[in-house]
Amino acid sequence: MTTVRLPLFPLNSVLFPGLVLPLNIFEERYRAMMRELLKTGEDEPRRFAVVAIRDGREVAPTAPGLPDQTAVPERGPAAGFGADPIQAFHRVGCIADAATIREREDGSFEVLATGTARVRLLSVDSSGPFLTAELEELPEDAGEGAGALAEGVLRAFRAYQKRLAGARERSLTGADLPDEPSVVSYLVAAAAVLDIPAKQRLLQAPDTATRLAEELKLLRTETAVIRHLPSLPAVDLTRAPTSPN
């Protein structure tokens, strides 16, 4: 088992390998994390792990809550995550490589990172200025029939996207989409309009074929639902999540 210790960045969204993650960082615990990452040479990866927060819990508050306007917000690396922070997080996440970390004059940061590989969360350490985690790197096995499933998922995704965007909107063409099964599986998982538990199930699928098979079911179901709706709000399928920290 290959393990690694990395800074831990919890989000109320799921990051997939190959997907871009823009972050707007202003909480002190995450500022400290970025300052530490900046100590890494530019020719080396600046890596941290992203995990989704369970049950839609947000990161720690930054202002007194209602109705008690005098309440002091919880502070520290584990603020908002309880006495045992690991229980607040889904156990499978994704390593992110920060290609750009730009500090603003006020000390906040703009970060552009990319998901690289799945990891399993083994333990969480809250003794420092930010959370760190011991992680097990997870292999990406193809599974049986991944190639054929990827073709079916691409067809279903095009139909889903057309229904969601509407006939007058630009739809994705074959040139816009990859054909490598694992890349297809992660792109569709990120682009489909699904809740966090559904996306998390796709992230932690045991292999690419299993993920693609689940996506095929989800896309067919969602397309059928959309077909019977009278109208839909505009949705940008390629918009990457931003951090609520």
Side-chain angles (χ1 to χ4, degrees), residues 81-165:
F81 301 132
D84 186 10
I86 195 171
Q87 302 303 324
F89 310 136
H90 287 282
R91 297 303 173 90
V92 175
C94 185
I95 292 177
D97 183 1
T100 303
I101 303 176
R102 187 177 73 84
E103 186 172 7
R104 303 188 186 99
E105 291 185 1
D106 64 0
S108 63
F109 289 87
E110 289 182 8
V111 177
L112 190 64
T114 303
T116 62
R118 297 183 308 150
V119 286
R120 188 183 309 280
L121 187 61
L122 301 178
S123 64
V124 175
D125 183 358
S126 60
S127 62
F130 50 83
L131 295 176
T132 59
E134 189 75 17
L135 305 150
E136 174 191 2
E137 297 187 26
L138 297 177
E140 180 64 29
D141 297 323
E144 186 175 352
L149 282 164
E151 293 177 4
V153 166
L154 285 176
R155 288 193 297 270
F157 181 72
R158 291 188 187 100
Y160 166 79
Q161 190 271 338
K162 288 177 182 177
R163 285 286 180 182
L164 191 64

Side-chain angles (χ1 to χ4, degrees), residues 7 22 30 33-34 39 41 48 50 53 101 106 148 171 200 236:
Y30 303 121
M33 182 187 299
M34 294 305 127
K39 296 178 183 178
F48 58 97
V50 172
I53 303 168
I101 303 176
D106 64 0
S171 62
Q200 184 65 36
D236 181 354

